Structures are given as C-alpha cells and as structure tokens.
Amino acid sequence: MKRPERPKLLAWETTRACLFTCSHCRASAIPRPMPDELTLTEGRQLLEQAARLGPWIVILSGGEPLLRHDLEDLAQAGIQSGHSVVVACNDGKLLTAERISSLKSAGVSRYSFSMHFAGETDQDRFLGRAGAYAENVQAFARLRETGVQFQINTTVMPGNQQKLPQILSRAKEWGAAAWHLFFVVPTGRAGEHTPEAAATFLSDRETETVLEWVADTADDAGIPVKETCAPHYARIRAQKRKSVPHGGAGCMAGRGFAFVSSTGDVKPCGYFDQVLGNVRGQPFDKIYTTSPLLQSFRTPERLSGACGACAYRNLCGGCRARAHAQTGEPLASDPACHQAVTCNGNGHEKPVPA
C-alpha cells in the first residue's frame, strides 16, 4: 500500500446552509442547516482522527460556516488537536466585529471570501442578493482593523475571464493576502443542465489562455496567486521555463488533501462526487489511508488516456474530479486541459526542467 503524502489541507463542509444562490455552487447550498449535520462532538472526533496522520490546515467551509453557532468551538477543537484553522466564508454581513473577535480568540488565523467580479452590480447579481458586495468590502475593512488575514477566491467563468486584471487590482486594494483562482468542475449546481450552469464553463482553449495569463502575471502580481482545479498550470509554467510552485504536486486529491461533507462523507475533494466512507462508521484516518481510489491517485502511472501518456503526468496529472464528472472515469484525461484534448494521448513534448 502506497504511503499517503504529508497531510496539507482538510476541507470540512461544516454546513450546506447558505443565504446565497450562486449558479456554480459545489454544495448545492440550501437556506437552512440540515438536521443530520455532524455535531460538535462528532466534529471533535473527526479532528482528533485527522491529527493521527499529522497536523493539517483545516478549512472550515460550507455552505456558509458562519451560520454555525458553534463555529468557535469547532475552531478551538481544531487548534487543540494541533491543526491550523481557517474559515472559508462568503457572507460579509455575518462577519461582524464581534464574530471576528470571537473566532480570533478561538484560533482562526485566516479567512477566504468568494469575490467573482470587481464591480458591485455583477457580484450582487451572481450571488442573488443586493448589497452583498458592499457588505463583503466592509468585512474586509473589519478584518484589516483586527490584523486577521484574508484571501480572495475567484471562480473563473466566461463572464469574468476578461476582467481578471481588474479583480486582481481590486483584491490588492481590499488588502487581500492572496488571490486564488478556481476553475469550474461540473458538480453541484454547476452540474445541472441549466443555462446558468452552462454559463460558468470555459472551453479547454479558454482555460489554457487564462492559465497562460496567470503564469505571465503571478510572479509580479504583488500578492501570491494560486490556481485550484487546473493542475495543468504547473505544466504551463514549466513550458514557459518558470519555477513550478511546491515542485508541482498536481491534483492534490488524496495526495495531501481530503474533503468531509456536512454529514461526514469523506471524498477525494469537494468536487468529486464519490463517497469513500463516512466518519460516523469508520475513522477518518483509516478511510484516507486505505481507500483504493486514493491509492490510485497516489500512483500517476495508473492514469489513462492523454494524462497517462503525458510527459508532465507527475508534475500535473490532471484534475481527477473533472475527469470523473465528465467521463465517469476518475483516472481519465482532464477535459479542461487543452494539451490533453488536442494530443489524443501522444505527441507530448518532454518536460522542461523547472
């Protein structure tokens, strides 16, 4: 059995509840919490089980985690188990000065906020609530006043791909510590056959163009810039003879990253719609260590199609969640990689040393 790589990120969807209605929502969020969400006691057990593998950066996410009234207790439990704890939220109205203070006392060291547009009208329309943009900007000011870092998460879509320079500029104006770009995987609402869902997808060529722009921009952006669900960014940087962050870990699912749903289902990542086990019936550390699917992800030689033949498979490996969602085969080629789409499994150049 291949030994898992060092734990890095554990994303726990503490609730599916959220007051926004974003068309790309992975969680297919709902207005109210479900009664079968993991309790505080079960959450503590999860965090203790994860700690047996080593300390993680635990992302308390949702939905909207600020809707959990015991979020401070969960954060404190994570710190007591040896983890670093961050909060991935969306609703600045809920992040009051009092909530920032209580979560800071509990040990929360950083926040992330989803901001997909540089302007108020577009952002409010996308979130489905007037005033949401202004409420988030006000929350950023409160975080700056208390010295707590936050990052901006932007999902790249046809409606904003030409405006990424403006969003980056605005993120720096807001005082963000980092800017993370997310590329849509067809799960949750994004997997529904609706015009709204279809409007969130870039073509493989458009994705390549965006990632080339990121590679040319990131080193001098002024704040760290990172991609999520587009591991072929590492290949693009190597082809441009630029350094590859962290040596190019490729898709992190099962390779230092794991996801736990609000009801305890363990998945390779939040975008991967396949349950590996549930922490109510089996310890998290055992699921993560022994899952046959995660074992396959830790062995790039098992990749198939263009990803399996690619000279960059150890550097990139493609997004496993997107391959599964669009082909039904977790080890298949990533449909968002332009090189994988055009090469048909052969003809790749040899990788350029980073």
Side-chain angles (χ1 to χ4, degrees), residues 33-101:
M34 295 293 288
D36 57 350
E37 293 177 350
L38 292 181
T39 65
L40 174 58
T41 298
E42 290 172 324
R44 285 174 173 152
Q45 292 172 345
L46 163 64
L47 295 166
E48 291 168 359
Q49 292 163 6
R52 293 201 286 255
L53 298 173
W56 302 67
I57 297 175
V58 175
I59 307 168
L60 300 178
S61 71
E64 176 51 74
L66 295 172
L67 291 173
R68 277 201 67 142
H69 301 298
D70 59 356
L71 192 64
E72 284 81 355
D73 295 320
L74 296 176
Q76 190 172 50
I79 298 297
Q80 290 171 346
S81 295
H83 307 296
S84 299
V85 178
V86 300
V87 171
C89 55
N90 306 289
D91 196 338
K93 185 177 182 179
L94 299 176
L95 194 59
T96 62
E98 293 75 17
R99 201 77 197 272
I100 293 172
S101 178

Side-chain angles (χ1 to χ4, degrees), residues 26 229 251 253-254 257-259 267-274 294 319 321:
R26 169 208 58 76
C229 294
C251 179
F257 184 94
F259 172 87
K267 300 181 180 181
C269 76
Y271 302 97
F272 202 105
D273 194 19
Q274 182 171 325
L294 298 189
C319 174

Side-chain angles (χ1 to χ4, degrees), residues 319-344:
C319 174
R320 297 299 98 219
R322 187 178 293 108
H324 179 255
Q326 294 187 230
T327 72
E329 172 49 59
L331 298 176
S333 302
D334 181 350
C337 175
H338 183 65
Q339 182 159 292
V341 169
T342 56
C343 81
N344 294 319

Side-chain angles (χ1 to χ4, degrees), residues 21 49 83 98 106 139 142-143 182 246 268 294 344 352:
T21 58
Q49 292 163 6
H83 307 296
E98 293 75 17
R142 293 191 288 270
L143 288 168
F182 287 69
H246 312 297
L294 298 189
N344 294 319
V352 178

Side-chain angles (χ1 to χ4, degrees), residues 173-250:
E173 291 175 10
W174 292 327
W179 186 40
H180 287 202
L181 297 174
F182 287 69
F183 292 79
V184 175
V185 176
T187 57
R189 286 203 194 106
E192 298 175 358
H193 298 291
T194 64
E196 292 79 13
T200 65
F201 288 95
L202 301 178
S203 69
D204 58 283
R205 178 67 260 184
E206 289 172 328
T207 299
E208 189 90 354
T209 299
V210 170
L211 291 175
E212 288 176 350
W213 174 81
V214 176
D216 292 336
T217 303
D219 294 347
D220 300 311
I223 57 175
V225 178
K226 183 181 181 297
E227 54 71 35
T228 295
C229 294
H232 34 295
Y233 176 61
R235 182 257 302 165
I236 290 172
R237 285 191 63 91
Q239 289 172 327
K240 289 177 173 288
R241 297 185 178 274
K242 295 177 179 286
S243 63
V244 178
H246 312 297

